[in-house]
Amino acid sequence: MSTELTGIVVTFLLTILLAYPLGRYIARMYAGEKTLLDFLNPAERFIYRICRIDPNQPMNWKEFLKAMLTINLLWLVYAFFIFLYQSHLPLNPDGNPDMTPDLSFNTAISFLVNCNLQDYSGETGVTYLTQLFVITFLQFVSAATGIACLVGFLNGLRAKTTDNLGNFWSIFTKTITRILLPLCVVIAVLLAFNGTPASFAAKDKIITLQGDTVQVSRGPAAGMIAIKHLGTNGGGWFGANSAHPLENPNYFTNMLEIIVQVLIPMGMIFAMGFYIKRKKFARTIFWVMTVGFLCLAIPTIITEIHGNPEIAHMGVAQPTGAMEGKEVRFGPAASGYWSILTTVISTGSVNAMHDSFMPISGLMQLLGMLVNAFYGGCGVGILNYFIYIIIAVFISGLMVGRTPEFMGHKVEAREVKIAALVTLLSAFIIKGGTALAAYYFVYHGNADWAVKPNAWLNNPGYHGFSEMLYQYTSSNANNGSGYEGLADNNPFWNITAGFAMILGRYLPIIGPVAIVGLMAKKKYVPESAGTLRVDSLTFGTMTFAVIIIITALSYFPPLVLGPIAEYLGMH
Amino acid sequence: MTNKSSNKLFEGPLISEALRQSFVKLNPRIMLRNPVMFTVEIGTVIMLAVCIWIYAGEKSQGGLGYNLAIFVILLFTVLFANFAEAIAEARGKAQANSLRKTREETPAKWVQPVGDIFTDEVKIIPSSRLKKDDVFLCETGDIIPMDGEIIEGIATIDESAITGESAPVIREAGGDKSSVTGGTKVLSDRIKVRVTTAPGESFLDKMIALVEGASRQKTPNEIALTILLASFTLIFLIVCVTLKPFSDYANTPITIAALVSLYVCLIPTTIGGLLSSIGIAGMDRALRANVITKSGKAVETAGDLDTLLLDKTGTITIGNRKATNFYPANGIDPKFFTETAVLSSLADETPEGKSIVELGKLNPASFNLDHSTFIPFTAETRSSGVNLSDGAKVRKGAFDAIRNQVVKAGYPFPKETEERVRMISSNGGTPLVVSRNSQALGVIELQDIIKPGIQERFERLRRMGVKTVMVTGDNPLTAKFIAEKAGVDDFIAEAKPEDKMNYIRKEQQGGKLVAMMGDGTNDAPALAQADVGVAMNSGTQAAKEAGNMVDLDNDPTKLIEIVEIGKQLLMTRGTLTTFSIANDVAKYFAIVPALFIVSIPSLQALNIMHLKSAESAILSAVIFNAIIIPLLIPLALKGVAYRPIGASALLRRNLLIYGLGGIIAPFIGIKLIDLLLGLFM
């Protein structure tokens, strides 16, 4: 096996090796058992005291969601106004300007919802203050929000019948103090030692070997880059994200960043098994997700290693594979692997430009985000997967001759309605948004906007279509990666993508939590020989089939017109 | 009658009625009940408008013939779906009507009330004029005109018209066997019957109303599935609507016919068109099994049952206990013991008593019983017998009752008899001790005969995940033995009526769904409490009111069939949904390349079926989509076969057949239709 492939395999195995004990720790921590970090108790009690929180106050699903939505709204308002006036605030050594209202709207939502779609460039669009106190702050709390909602959801599954999903505030606080902060400290230190800047100094100036003068942006970046990956946020300190040599200096940091971004999503699956005491269920989900991930990653890696057929037609040899838009220090295999991992989970950080990948790889990246549940984002990955489970449970429950049930609770009209609504929503956002963009591009190409619609696309034809489709897919999946060919910093994209992000974030969280809240209140039906076991391989396969079929049927036409047509045109 | 009724799915008169109804149901207000098919109807109207538009001279939408063909196929898609529902309704109604007919045109001997005193003045009126609480008279040879309760007399009745069972049954006033059913025939004696149901309110009437569209309510599961199907429909609506701007971007004009066809092909029309007929067919199948259901939900619930409560007598064992052996005590002449045993039972009219006489093989006439007095069984003495003219007192009864008498009289109770009693009990038998002048003579063994084949049925239930519970008045030892022998999972011994109720409650608190079968008035509360309560038709009116199903055959093992019918109903819905959705894969591969054949020639690589032309590809897909509905009507009506092989194995099997099959079948079907169309186009 080549060194490139070995690197990927080792990285992946290391991830599983680290995620398993982390999952065990997470489960113990939320269950209130003894852990190493119990010395933080006084600090948490202090937080509860000054916030006047009773950490033991039970919350039903409505109270739980209300608490989550209220605090999120507060953060949105806070972020929006700070971006709007950032040039007047301190910690702006480079003198970067205020954001426009539409960009501020988009950026505030983008970081609040764990999406981190960046229509600005880190070097010029934000100040150190907003980087730290808005962006990094939101990266912590948005990740913690997702995880807290998952834990509330699991509390509903944990008890046979309950009305109590736990206290949002206490779960949220513990998520930050006991998972995110400690891990981030370790990661940030490792990054800083490998060359990632961690100072408040302004831009530096270097003179290259050719004699050009280059301004190099810096800043207290290491901590932000740690939580950016750990919290599956993905928004980079620098515009080029993890392709930037200061954000991702070498192969070790590349491994570190790709491992830590999937650490919590994967760890939460194991944590779920320990926490609700259904290890086999968690294992089945882990395998389904892993198979799904590999189905996307392997074709991508192969395609990228084989290089671009158009270049091959010209008679140019590509011994290192398709290198356009990739970093020499990582190569096509590691870049391909990263591009799929970052799209199946909702990080969306990049170490190569997705716009330059081969059509098949682009298709796989899109599919990763359309499914959005192969590991998925912090906490929300399992919540998304749960929607597919509900649909699979419903159909296969019928197929074995029982009215459908999940973990001892009947799945009835209300639960199906919520699951159907969430499924419907993403189809609506992605295709509706793309259709709207295509409509403006075709019929109002010369509209008198800051960027005219007919100038949106860097590439005409199928690839241009993929650029638009990718933007909404990424927004809806709260992924945040993008095809850089799209000129997205203008009101149309800022606002529509903003709404796509906000809907794509909260409804898929509210849906599963509400379903579990409703189900947990129902009476518990014990399992019998006629009950469909949701931890069986058969049911895992069924869920996988449901994911494939729903995704394929919902998005076949746009995928055909984008990456598939591009691919067929090339061959 | 019902058993003789044809099992053919389609019969002439039913078809013509169903065909008529298919058109009646085109009324949008009726169609609205089925959102999936309603949108197809809208698509049909749009295509009609497009045809008119083209006729008026529009050139951009393709040829008139092609558009007209799409319009006709869509219309047929709707008609096929309507036909599926109509044929299911027609079958259910025909089945119920055939049961009802017998009773409507029967002459009734109406007893005219004079004041509060019933005179025997009888007037003959048609049964349809009988009202609730009227009293009528039935004599030998009469057909009972109406459901009712016997208030006076006893009669043997031939219920074969309803149950298909030829052996006559006895019905008498008072007690749990007082109910008679309209349409059955009195074979002997004479009874007075009070009408218990108002015309139009009998269970059959209710059932017919359930089958008919108007009052049929969707069951909770049907509602949930409808929501899921509606959301799939919306997803595909979004697919088709957004395709327009997408194709504009790709510089490809798409005709309205192509968009509407794509939409109709993608939405789950197969299950959408068959959904209501599946539900009706479930009730119809129950009716064919001679079970009248009072709601569609009850059939559905039956598929989920966790626990079945079954009476021992008549369900698990054949009829009643029979005497199988005489065991005289040491030193008692066997012949003398047999004689005494028979003597003790001569006046005993219970089946047990009769079986003792039978086993003795002695001529009852050989006994001289003049001046003898019979002592009937009472709950207090727990024994019965006869005081002979010579003063001898013969008694037979439960072991402890007789032992008390013996010990009280100062006699020893024979050791070997006591031993034998214990042995009989532990073998599931019932010991009856016989005494003469308070001296124990020996013991008679009564045994239950377990129905042949019952173990297999319970095994089948166990594999379905259903727990069986035997309810019996026997002592725990006997009950345990029979329970083990018959293979039931649990038993309630020495059961009082409230024990059943408590057991049901306990199971339900654990989240289980419980079914029970009962006939007596004292069963009514438990029948009402159970999730599925099946009352026997011979049972009291109270029992029938309390349950949610009535079994015309009075066959307690019917519960097993009801469970299977419920499971079949749910499975048919699940498998056809899977099939319907899986079909879409092939339809995409047929239609999408056809849409872009001109502007993006490279997409021809996706035309893996090598369909001839764009128009033929679209037509083939729509035709396949339409004809699959009538092709699947038999499956919807008969139901998918249930196999108790465990949930996961069943899921694998059905996924393979209906999931994988659903992906492959349309590839073949569409290709074949395309080849056929190639002959004409």
Side-chain angles (χ1 to χ4, degrees):
Chain A
M1 205 172 3
S2 77
T3 333
E4 273 195 274
L5 293 180
T6 316
I8 297 171
V9 174
V10 169
T11 313
F12 188 60
L13 293 180
L14 262 176
T15 314
I16 300 176
L17 226 60
L18 291 171
Y20 190 80
L22 177 69
R24 208 184 180 106
Y25 161 76
I26 291 175
R28 287 182 64 91
M29 191 269 287
Y30 286 120
E33 292 166 36
K34 241 168 76 177
T35 61
L36 272 176
L37 294 183
D38 281 346
F39 66 86
L40 289 168
N41 270 332
E44 284 157 4
R45 276 204 299 273
F46 176 70
I47 295 173
Y48 298 147
R49 204 164 51 241
I50 56 168
C51 297
R52 299 196 182 171
I53 290 166
D54 172 10
N56 297 319
Q57 186 203 357
M59 286 185 175
N60 66 28
W61 68 271
K62 283 183 190 153
E63 294 164 339
F64 193 94
L65 288 175
K66 209 169 106 189
M68 184 275 284
L69 291 171
T70 317
I71 191 77
N72 271 256
L73 183 67
L74 202 70
W75 293 329
L76 176 63
V77 174
Y78 159 76
F80 177 75
F81 284 105
I82 302 275
F83 282 132
L84 216 50
Y85 298 111
Q86 61 182 0
S87 75
H88 309 287
L89 298 169
L91 286 179
N92 187 9
D94 295 333
N96 289 340
D98 291 336
M99 282 192 179
T100 58
D102 57 293
L103 180 60
S104 175
F105 172 79
N106 182 286
T107 311
I109 290 178
S110 171
F111 285 94
L112 175 75
V113 304
N114 200 259
C115 178
N116 299 18
L117 191 73
Q118 293 166 293
D119 289 356
Y120 66 92
S121 199
E123 293 87 339
T124 53
V126 282
T127 67
Y128 290 169
L129 179 107
T130 39
Q131 286 274 38
L132 286 179
F133 293 99
V134 180
I135 290 179
T136 311
F137 167 74
L138 287 179
Q139 287 180 329
F140 270 101
V141 295
S142 67
T145 299
I147 298 172
C149 288
L150 175 64
V151 174
F153 164 90
L154 293 179
N155 282 333
L157 293 180
R158 202 169 180 227
K160 279 188 175 169
T161 305
T162 182
D163 206 11
N164 176 16
L165 297 191
N167 186 289
F168 174 79
W169 308 117
S170 133
I171 300 171
F172 173 80
T173 311
K174 278 180 156 181
T175 307
I176 293 186
T177 55
R178 308 235 177 164
I179 303 175
L180 297 178
L181 267 177
L183 280 173
C184 269
V185 170
V186 179
I187 300 161
V189 168
L190 286 172
L191 284 173
F193 276 115
N194 278 278
T196 302
S199 82
F200 281 92
K203 286 192 179 76
D204 204 355
K205 199 184 287 179
I206 57 164
I207 296 170
T208 64
L209 291 177
Q210 289 165 306
D212 299 334
T213 310
V214 176
Q215 302 280 336
V216 180
S217 284
R218 294 182 296 183
M224 187 261 209
I225 294 164
I227 185 62
K228 149 195 170 189
H229 286 117
L230 188 70
T232 63
N233 290 287
W237 185 273
F238 305 105
N241 209 301
S242 283
H244 194 290
L246 292 183
E247 191 146 344
N248 189 4
N250 53 39
Y251 200 87
F252 171 75
T253 56
N254 192 60
M255 269 176 90
L256 178 69
E257 288 177 17
I258 194 71
I259 286 174
V260 299
Q261 63 179 291
V262 77
L263 204 55
I264 290 181
M266 213 184 251
M268 283 314 290
I269 305 168
F270 298 124
M272 170 173 71
F274 292 118
Y275 191 65
I276 62 171
K277 299 187 183 68
R278 286 179 189 267
K279 277 185 255 180
K280 194 172 171 229
F281 176 66
R283 212 160 47 226
T284 311
I285 291 187
F286 173 76
W287 282 117
V288 172
M289 289 181 170
T290 301
V291 167
F293 163 68
L294 292 176
C295 285
L296 299 175
I298 292 171
T300 304
I301 294 167
I302 292 174
T303 312
E304 294 306 314
I305 288 177
H306 279 210
N308 188 335
E310 300 271 291
I311 294 178
H313 280 312
M314 292 188 272
V316 179
Q318 306 168 75
T320 52
M323 283 306 292
E324 184 197 308
K326 294 197 183 66
E327 295 295 301
V328 181
R329 62 189 187 281
F330 307 134
S335 302
Y337 173 75
W338 177 305
S339 81
I340 294 303
L341 247 189
T342 203
T343 40
V344 293
I345 63 175
S346 76
T347 311
S349 65
V350 293
N351 72 347
M353 292 303 114
H354 286 189
D355 209 10
S356 301
F357 275 72
M358 293 295 103
I360 284 295
S361 312
L363 176 68
M364 298 298 155
Q365 292 159 3
L366 279 166
L367 285 174
M369 292 187 289
L370 292 172
V371 172
N372 204 17
F374 293 146
Y375 308 133
C378 266
V380 293
I382 293 173
L383 295 180
N384 285 336
Y385 189 87
F386 179 70
I387 293 295
Y388 294 112
I389 285 188
I390 287 293
I391 293 173
V393 154
F394 189 79
I395 297 178
S396 43
L398 288 181
M399 276 205 281
V400 300
R402 273 177 84 92
T403 58
E405 60 206 29
F406 178 71
M407 290 192 179
H409 300 286
K410 289 278 174 214
V411 176
E412 288 164 310
R414 272 220 282 187
E415 291 80 19
V416 170
K417 197 187 285 176
I418 297 171
L421 207 72
V422 174
T423 316
L424 199 61
L425 176 86
S426 48
F428 176 73
I429 294 174
I430 295 171
K431 280 180 299 192
T434 313
L436 192 67
Y439 172 79
Y440 273 105
F441 181 84
V442 175
Y443 292 101
H444 301 282
N446 286 314
D448 190 17
W449 293 350
V451 182
K452 289 195 166 120
N454 57 15
W456 281 347
L457 305 176
N458 217 2
N459 311 68
Y462 314 130
H463 195 77
F465 185 79
S466 300
E467 285 173 356
M468 298 190 288
L469 178 65
Y470 195 102
Q471 186 76 353
Y472 284 108
T473 307
S474 174
S475 303
N476 173 66
N478 291 164
N479 184 274
S481 62
Y483 271 13
E484 292 309 318
L486 184 74
D488 49 16
N489 186 10
N490 60 63
F492 177 86
W493 287 101
N494 281 335
I495 293 168
T496 56
F499 281 113
M501 286 189 284
I502 214 160
L503 290 171
R505 167 72 167 185
Y506 293 105
L507 289 183
I509 287 181
I510 294 171
V513 173
I515 291 177
V516 159
L518 289 171
M519 286 204 311
K521 275 193 281 186
K522 293 185 193 178
K523 72 178 180 187
Y524 182 82
V525 186
E527 279 183 16
S528 77
T531 313
L532 179 75
R533 297 192 61 89
V534 290
D535 56 6
S536 66
L537 190 65
T538 311
F539 183 74
T541 316
M542 175 71 190
T543 318
F544 191 68
V546 164
I547 293 175
I548 301 288
I549 289 276
I550 288 191
T551 311
L553 294 185
S554 305
Y555 303 107
F556 189 68
L559 290 175
V560 162
L561 288 176
I564 295 177
E566 193 185 352
Y567 168 82
L568 291 174
M570 270 186 174
H571 289 264
Chain B
M1 178 171 57
T2 40
N3 290 1
K4 275 176 263 156
S5 76
S6 161
N7 274 324
K8 272 201 318 211
L9 285 176
F10 305 111
E11 287 169 88
L14 292 187
I15 290 198
S16 58
E17 166 64 14
L19 281 177
R20 206 178 61 78
Q21 281 296 324
S22 317
F23 285 92
V24 173
K25 283 170 189 285
L26 285 176
N27 181 344
R29 258 179 297 179
I30 303 177
M31 287 298 295
L32 208 54
R33 286 169 56 90
N34 185 342
V36 177
M37 294 317 291
F38 180 67
T39 61
V40 180
E41 192 174 34
I42 294 177
T44 315
V45 174
I46 292 176
M47 281 317 296
L48 182 65
V50 169
C51 289
I52 296 168
W53 193 29
I54 294 172
Y55 187 71
E58 174 63 32
K59 294 274 179 264
S60 68
Q61 295 295 327
L64 181 61
Y66 162 67
N67 279 280
L68 214 54
I70 301 270
F71 162 71
V72 172
I73 298 164
L74 295 192
L75 181 63
F76 268 97
T77 312
V78 182
L79 286 175
F80 286 151
N82 285 349
F83 179 77
E85 187 178 285
I87 189 87
E89 280 178 9
R91 273 163 56 86
K93 255 191 282 185
Q95 191 75 26
N97 271 330
S98 67
L99 282 173
R100 183 160 64 170
K101 211 164 245 164
T102 31
R103 53 186 82 185
E104 269 181 1
E105 290 120 37
T106 346
K109 292 175 180 168
W110 179 44
V111 181
Q112 271 182 299
V114 178
D116 281 334
I117 306 156
F118 291 171
T119 67
D120 268 0
E121 193 173 335
V122 167
K123 196 173 162 189
I124 295 188
I125 58 167
S127 62
S128 51
R129 280 180 47 198
L130 279 175
K131 289 188 292 294
K132 195 176 174 188
D133 289 331
D134 277 356
V135 174
F136 60 84
L137 192 73
C138 280
E139 288 160 312
T140 308
D142 285 351
I143 303 274
I144 297 177
M146 198 76 165
D147 288 4
E149 205 167 352
I150 304 178
I151 52 172
E152 194 183 309
I154 177 167
T156 47
I157 293 172
D158 174 13
E159 291 194 336
S160 61
I162 298 283
T163 65
E165 175 63 53
S166 56
V169 292
I170 293 174
R171 296 281 178 262
E172 62 181 317
D176 290 345
K177 305 261 181 219
S178 61
S179 183
V180 290
T181 313
T184 55
K185 190 176 174 187
V186 178
L187 291 181
S188 72
D189 304 298
R190 165 194 156 96
I191 44 173
K192 256 189 198 168
V193 180
R194 187 176 57 234
V195 179
T196 48
T197 49
E201 279 180 15
S202 73
F203 298 125
L204 273 173
D205 291 308
K206 282 184 195 154
M207 175 116 189
I208 290 170
L210 274 180
V211 169
E212 275 168 352
S215 76
R216 188 175 66 241
Q217 286 193 325
K218 283 189 177 142
T219 62
N221 179 261
E222 222 174 336
I223 293 171
L225 185 55
T226 309
I227 290 173
L228 189 70
L229 296 179
S231 77
F232 276 120
T233 308
L234 275 173
I235 287 182
F236 293 124
L237 186 66
I238 297 173
V239 166
C240 294
V241 170
T242 55
L243 199 54
K244 174 78 176 106
F246 292 173
S247 62
D248 287 346
Y249 176 90
N251 281 322
T252 313
I254 294 185
T255 59
I256 294 173
L259 274 181
V260 171
S261 305
L262 178 64
Y263 170 74
V264 171
C265 282
L266 291 179
I267 63 171
T269 45
T270 313
I271 177 67
L274 295 172
L275 187 57
S276 52
S277 59
I278 294 171
I280 301 166
M283 285 191 277
D284 179 47
R285 276 201 300 279
L287 193 50
R288 264 156 221 271
N290 273 342
V291 175
I292 300 177
T293 51
K294 292 205 240 162
S295 73
K297 186 174 181 238
V299 182
E300 220 169 66
T301 313
D304 282 355
L305 287 175
D306 300 291
T307 310
L308 288 191
L309 253 57
L310 296 162
D311 275 325
K312 183 197 80 176
T313 309
T315 311
I316 296 164
T317 58
I318 297 179
N320 297 292
R321 272 172 293 223
K322 282 205 161 93
T324 50
N325 267 310
F326 294 123
Y327 296 105
N330 284 350
I332 307 288
D333 176 27
K335 193 161 168 272
F336 173 68
F337 177 64
T338 308
E339 268 176 23
T340 319
V342 171
L343 201 55
S344 72
S345 309
L346 274 179
D348 187 351
E349 282 298 315
T350 62
E352 286 91 347
K354 284 180 185 159
S355 77
I356 294 172
V357 178
E358 253 168 58
L359 183 71
K361 292 199 187 87
L362 298 171
N363 182 5
S366 65
F367 293 100
N368 178 14
L369 291 174
D370 295 338
H371 312 293
S372 308
T373 40
F374 294 108
I375 312 295
F377 177 88
T378 66
E380 229 169 290
T381 59
R382 294 175 61 217
S383 63
S384 63
V386 60
N387 288 348
L388 295 175
S389 47
D390 58 4
K393 291 177 180 164
V394 176
R395 293 287 181 277
K396 87 168 190 280
F399 161 62
D400 47 350
I402 301 287
R403 191 182 55 181
N404 282 350
Q405 291 174 15
V406 170
V407 173
K408 219 158 127 195
Y411 295 107
F413 195 86
K415 277 261 154 41
E416 65 285 354
T417 304
E418 205 171 333
E419 189 62 31
R420 180 63 68 185
V421 163
R422 204 165 301 129
M423 221 156 84
I424 293 171
S425 292
S426 64
N427 282 337
T430 308
L432 282 180
V433 181
V434 179
S435 71
R436 191 185 166 99
N437 292 333
S438 298
Q439 269 181 296
L441 299 184
V443 56
I444 311 169
E445 181 178 13
L446 297 174
Q447 276 290 2
D448 276 305
I449 316 258
I450 290 172
K451 277 192 177 173
I454 200 83
Q455 287 101 329
E456 288 77 32
R457 304 202 77 172
F458 288 147
E459 181 53 36
R460 192 177 162 90
L461 278 169
R462 193 165 307 118
R463 276 182 285 145
M464 286 182 195
V466 181
K467 175 175 136 185
T468 45
V469 180
M470 180 180 85
V471 182
T472 172
D474 294 340
N475 63 58
L477 218 61
T478 313
K480 183 162 183 279
F481 181 83
I482 297 172
E484 271 168 16
K485 214 164 149 196
V488 293
D489 301 306
D490 197 2
F491 60 86
I492 310 173
E494 290 171 352
K496 295 180 285 297
E498 61 267 29
D499 288 344
K500 283 190 195 178
M501 184 77 175
N502 293 337
Y503 196 92
I504 293 175
R505 283 232 180 91
K506 197 184 86 205
E507 290 282 296
Q508 285 176 333
Q509 267 157 17
K512 297 199 174 147
L513 291 179
V514 188
M516 77 160 272
M517 195 143 193
D519 52 4
T521 301
N522 53 20
D523 282 336
L527 280 171
Q529 178 73 29
D531 300 282
V532 173
V534 186
M536 298 204 212
N537 198 40
S538 63
T540 60
Q541 192 63 25
K544 286 201 258 182
E545 290 288 349
N548 40 21
M549 294 189 191
V550 178
D551 176 22
L552 297 177
D553 291 343
N554 310 320
D555 172 10
T557 56
K558 197 60 82 53
L559 275 172
I560 300 170
E561 275 169 78
I562 296 172
V563 171
E564 292 201 355
I565 290 171
K567 285 195 178 294
Q568 275 189 331
L569 175 73
L570 294 171
M571 278 172 56
T572 313
R573 280 189 198 140
T575 49
L576 287 183
T577 305
T578 309
F579 185 82
S580 193
I581 301 289
N583 273 203
D584 282 358
V585 176
K587 292 171 187 166
Y588 261 134
F589 277 99
I591 296 183
V592 169
L595 294 179
F596 299 103
I597 202 161
V598 184
S599 59
I600 315 176
S602 61
L603 283 188
Q604 265 316 92
L606 293 180
N607 182 7
I608 50 179
M609 284 176 272
H610 298 292
L611 303 179
K612 250 184 105 224
S613 67
E615 294 197 345
S616 130
I618 290 172
L619 276 176
S620 309
V622 206
I623 291 175
F624 177 83
N625 188 57
I627 59 169
I628 197 73
I629 295 176
L631 285 180
L632 289 175
I633 289 178
L635 184 69
L637 295 188
K638 278 196 282 190
V640 172
Y642 176 77
R643 278 156 212 263
I645 48 176
S648 282
L650 195 61
L651 177 61
R652 268 197 298 278
R653 189 189 138 84
N654 284 334
L655 264 185
L656 217 58
I657 298 176
Y658 299 94
L660 201 61
I663 291 179
I664 296 167
F667 275 106
I668 300 167
I670 292 175
K671 178 68 188 167
L672 284 178
I673 297 170
D674 181 70
L675 289 175
L676 266 175
L677 285 178
L679 300 176
F680 305 103
M681 282 170 69

